[in-house]
Amino acid sequence: VEGGFWKGDKVEAHHGSWTITLDTYTVSTSHSHSVFTRMRAPFVSRDGFRFTIYRKGFFSGLGKALGMQDVETGHSLHFDDDFIIKDNDESKVRSLLARAEIRRLLQEQPQIHLELKDDEGFFRHRFPEGVDELSFQVHGAIKDVDRLRKLFDLFAKVLDELCRIGSATADDPGVRL
């Protein structure tokens, strides 16, 4: 989809009633520009379930030492060793990650920051009440088509599983990004 003068181009793909949007955006500081790739899908939330999943890094041990919560899924030692998982409902995140296909698709991403988040906030209030967003974001422009297909598959599986565990509906959220 062409973005026009003020907005960049984007790719929209559909899974069920959801529209999954892929684009890049640039953050500028006084001396540099950083490009990010993001994928987003608004959906109708039933219960306010939230999570963030990202790869462990150099400072992850420090965060845990300072009291940061990290859920152990118990599904795979390698998975728990590779990722930080924060959530507001441990049983729901365990159910979500019980699907081996979701864990596999997460593990195949060299960089990942996957988040189920509310659309509220100072600059972000644009969705109707009860509509939240599944969001992926990483530094850099992803040009690998196979990786992008796997990200789409990940979004599709997570959205389907959110419906199965009762955290989302399959209804069209009525929002386009």
Side-chain angles (χ1 to χ4, degrees):
V1 176
E2 286 189 40
F5 184 72
W6 293 105
K7 290 187 171 187
D9 297 346
K10 62 185 175 184
V11 174
E12 289 183 349
H14 300 277
H15 177 71
S17 62
W18 301 296
T19 301
I20 301 170
T21 303
L22 168 72
D23 65 357
T24 60
Y25 68 97
T26 303
V27 175
S28 299
T29 61
S30 59
H31 299 326
S32 67
H33 304 287
S34 294
V35 175
F36 292 85
T37 299
R38 68 182 169 187
M39 187 176 282
R40 300 171 292 158
F43 68 95
V44 177
S45 174
R46 298 182 80 182
D47 61 6
F49 173 49
R50 304 279 181 266
F51 67 79
T52 304
I53 301 171
Y54 56 93
R55 286 202 171 273
K56 287 185 179 175
F58 181 74
F59 293 107
S60 300
L62 178 62
K64 283 182 107 173
L66 295 174
M68 182 182 75
Q69 296 296 319
D70 177 28
V71 174
E72 300 282 324
T73 66
H75 296 294
S76 164
L77 182 60
H78 295 293
F79 188 84
D80 286 340
D81 285 345
D82 291 345
F83 292 94
I84 298 286
I85 304 163
K86 298 188 287 184
D87 66 275
N88 68 348
D89 187 329
E90 192 169 325
S91 67
K92 291 238 178 191
V93 83
R94 285 177 187 259
S95 293
L96 177 75
L97 295 173
R99 296 284 185 205
E101 185 73 3
I102 290 175
R103 290 192 317 274
R104 181 187 65 77
L105 289 165
L106 284 165
Q107 288 175 309
E108 289 180 355
Q109 293 298 319
Q111 297 174 297
I112 190 154
H113 185 102
L114 185 68
E115 186 172 11
L116 194 151
K117 58 187 178 180
D118 192 359
D119 180 52
E120 294 176 3
F122 188 69
F123 292 108
R124 304 190 58 230
H125 193 65
R126 63 173 178 252
F127 293 169
E129 183 69 29
V131 174
D132 292 334
E133 180 180 72
L134 181 62
S135 172
F136 162 85
Q137 174 181 298
V138 293
H139 187 264
I142 300 175
K143 297 180 182 180
D144 179 344
V145 174
D146 185 51
R147 182 175 179 199
L148 293 171
R149 278 193 187 113
K150 288 178 181 177
L151 278 170
F152 173 80
D153 289 346
L154 174 63
F155 263 59
K157 300 279 187 220
V158 168
L159 288 165
D160 287 342
E161 192 63 16
L162 288 171
C163 285
R164 193 191 71 73
I165 65 175
S167 290
T169 72
D171 300 334
D172 181 348
V175 176
R176 298 294 176 260
L177 300 172

